[in-house]
Amino acid sequence: MKNKTNPLWGGRFKQKSSELLKKINNSISFDYKLASQDLRVSKAYCKALCKSKIISKKEETLIVDCLKTIENDILEKKLKLNEDFEDIHMNIEMELKKRIGTTAGKLHTGRSRNDQVATDLKLWIKEKTLFILNLLENLQKVLVKKSEENIFTIMPGFTHLQNAQPISLAHYFMAFFEMFERDKGRFFDMINRLDECPLGSGALAGTNFSKIDRKYLAKSLGFRKPTENSLDSVSDRDYAIEFLSNLSILAVHFSRIAEDFIIWCSNEFSFIKFSDLHCTGSSIMPQKKNPDAVELVRSKASRVFGNLLSLLTTLKGLPMTYSKDLQEDKEPVFDSFDTMEIVIIIMTELLKELVINKAKMLKSSNNGYSTATDIADWLVQNTELTFRDAHHKTGKIVLLAEQKGCNLDELDITDFKKIEPQINNQIFGYIGIKNSVKNKSSYGGTGFKKIKEAIQRAKKKIKK
Ligand code: ARG
């Protein structure tokens, strides 16, 4: 009888669990990823138990030393995790019992898997977030480098995917620098909110062991402070939702840069080429070189959004406090992290290797009457016309160029004068592509000088 029931909670059970229950209930196949956090939490908890004299120094040493050997064996893949013991917490406790006997049974005094798992997951998210922040900073460095190399690379800037105004390619890259900077900010904010330790909250109500020093526990695990409310501690997963939400916003940014690159590498655009490292061929069309890497970066966003929605839905309407539904928090979190880790790394590599067709970009930036706004602005700055009137007259100039089948800078001065007699030869200095970019000298604009300044500011941000 004794062997049949669960060794951790089998006291009130007469029968052992069904195989089906094991299948739906077991989480060890994925929560093994929390092993190192769980061991860290247990070591800290054991020390707190000793500090409050619930266990002796000798017992503390026995348990902590054994946890270290377990850690080592897990690292060296010597420890086989057992499907019979539900999750990582039970696996580790059972292994401890196997190695040191009954003293192992003291470790869970005043502790529940509910406060334990919340602490483990917070530690895991914190650690992985620091890793992501590092990856993002590397990517930002590449963006800055690429920007420095391309201050004078002129490309069409688009709105509605229609040629709008010429811009510097550096300005484009720096736009993503800013987005990733805000992404980093969101992760920092998340860490700040998450940084409270749930351990010592027990199953839900707090514990009878008031001597267990929760401030000490929090500090020894690197948290700013203990959580304030035990019910909140074991029931909420807002930090995991925030993590998934931040990863989703990050994924949006990557999907946009990916989409641009997919368009830019098409034959029709030919703005960029990817190195062979990041392309695949076709099984039938020998000429093909497909941008699979960026296409996947574009679509990975959808699964990351899915994970966010999955966890939001798990939490929605869940009665307080802990329910087993919360075990479903882990896979979305692990999957989104794994997904975005590779996305950041591959995009960093891809950017480094990117081949830029500067001539094609420059040529295209002159299409679509992209300096028409510069004509309107010239009229405002050099005549009494209001912007609305200047806009209207410039519209007529564009129409004329369209009828003549030429670009704006190919029009004759007499063409301009027909529409607005006040226009003089100065206009040609204004509507050239390079000058158009140069003149965007507002703060944050694409003007060459402004980009150089933006790059300097960016460098300071990533130096820290
Ligand atoms: N594996 C469980 C989880 O991830 C641990 C907590 C179990 N708690 C419980 N009351 N059954 O949520």
Side-chain angles (χ1 to χ4, degrees), residues 87-98:
D87 56 24
I88 187 64
H89 325 293
M90 285 173 57
N91 260 275
I92 290 175
E93 189 174 332
M94 289 311 293
E95 189 58 31
L96 191 66
K97 191 173 170 201
K98 203 167 104 190

Side-chain angles (χ1 to χ4, degrees), residues 27 31 87 89 113-114 117 237 322 324 326-327 330:
S27 56
D31 69 12
D87 56 24
H89 325 293
R113 278 183 295 156
N114 297 354
V117 73
R237 294 291 184 270
Y322 179 90
K324 201 56 175 268
L326 290 175
Q327 180 164 281
K330 287 166 211 63

Side-chain angles (χ1 to χ4, degrees), residues 152-158 163-168 271 358-372 374 407 409 431-434 436-437:
F152 298 104
T153 305
I154 296 178
M155 63 169 282
F158 299 96
N163 199 335
Q165 291 181 327
I167 58 170
S168 151
F271 282 5
K358 297 186 182 187
K360 182 68 204 295
M361 281 187 171
L362 181 66
K363 192 162 175 277
S364 293
S365 61
N366 207 15
N367 294 340
Y369 315 105
S370 61
T371 58
D374 298 295
N407 277 329
D409 58 356
I431 57 177
I433 294 298
K434 269 197 190 117
S436 170
V437 177

Side-chain angles (χ1 to χ4, degrees), residues 287-396:
Q287 85 284 11
K288 290 278 272 184
K289 225 176 125 181
N290 295 326
D292 294 36
V294 259
E295 286 172 311
L296 286 162
V297 167
R298 177 175 60 183
S299 69
K300 289 293 179 192
S302 52
R303 75 189 274 160
V304 174
F305 300 169
N307 287 334
L308 169 62
L309 197 65
S310 154
L311 188 56
L312 280 169
T313 314
T314 299
L315 266 289
K316 183 201 162 290
L318 197 67
M320 290 285 271
T321 53
Y322 179 90
S323 298
K324 201 56 175 268
D325 309 50
L326 290 175
Q327 180 164 281
E328 292 286 310
D329 60 357
K330 287 166 211 63
E331 284 168 295
V333 166
F334 297 157
D335 183 70
S336 283
F337 169 75
D338 290 344
T339 305
M340 290 314 291
E341 177 188 13
I342 175 123
V343 163
I344 307 173
I345 295 174
I346 201 157
M347 283 301 270
T348 306
E349 216 185 272
L350 201 135
L351 262 167
K352 275 189 202 158
E353 304 282 330
L354 198 67
V355 179
I356 296 159
N357 188 343
K358 297 186 182 187
K360 182 68 204 295
M361 281 187 171
L362 181 66
K363 192 162 175 277
S364 293
S365 61
N366 207 15
N367 294 340
Y369 315 105
S370 61
T371 58
T373 315
D374 298 295
I375 300 178
D377 287 350
W378 185 92
L379 285 168
V380 169
Q381 284 165 347
N382 294 282
T383 72
E384 296 300 312
L385 290 174
T386 65
F387 180 73
R388 265 304 138 239
D389 293 337
H391 184 288
H392 190 78
K393 298 223 171 202
T394 309
K396 294 231 170 299

Side-chain angles (χ1 to χ4, degrees), residues 59-121:
E59 287 167 331
E60 183 215 280
T61 312
L62 183 65
I63 296 174
V64 171
D65 286 352
C66 183
L67 288 172
K68 283 181 190 161
T69 62
I70 293 177
E71 190 166 21
N72 213 37
D73 289 352
I74 290 181
L75 274 177
E76 289 176 10
K77 301 204 175 3
K78 281 192 209 150
L79 186 74
K80 207 176 145 357
L81 297 164
N82 191 337
E83 280 290 332
D84 282 337
F85 309 134
E86 243 182 87
D87 56 24
I88 187 64
H89 325 293
M90 285 173 57
N91 260 275
I92 290 175
E93 189 174 332
M94 289 311 293
E95 189 58 31
L96 191 66
K97 191 173 170 201
K98 203 167 104 190
R99 296 187 186 193
I100 64 169
T102 49
T103 312
K106 296 198 171 187
L107 177 61
H108 214 53
T109 314
R111 188 172 76 167
S112 158
R113 278 183 295 156
N114 297 354
D115 58 346
Q116 190 179 351
V117 73
T119 312
D120 290 3
L121 189 62

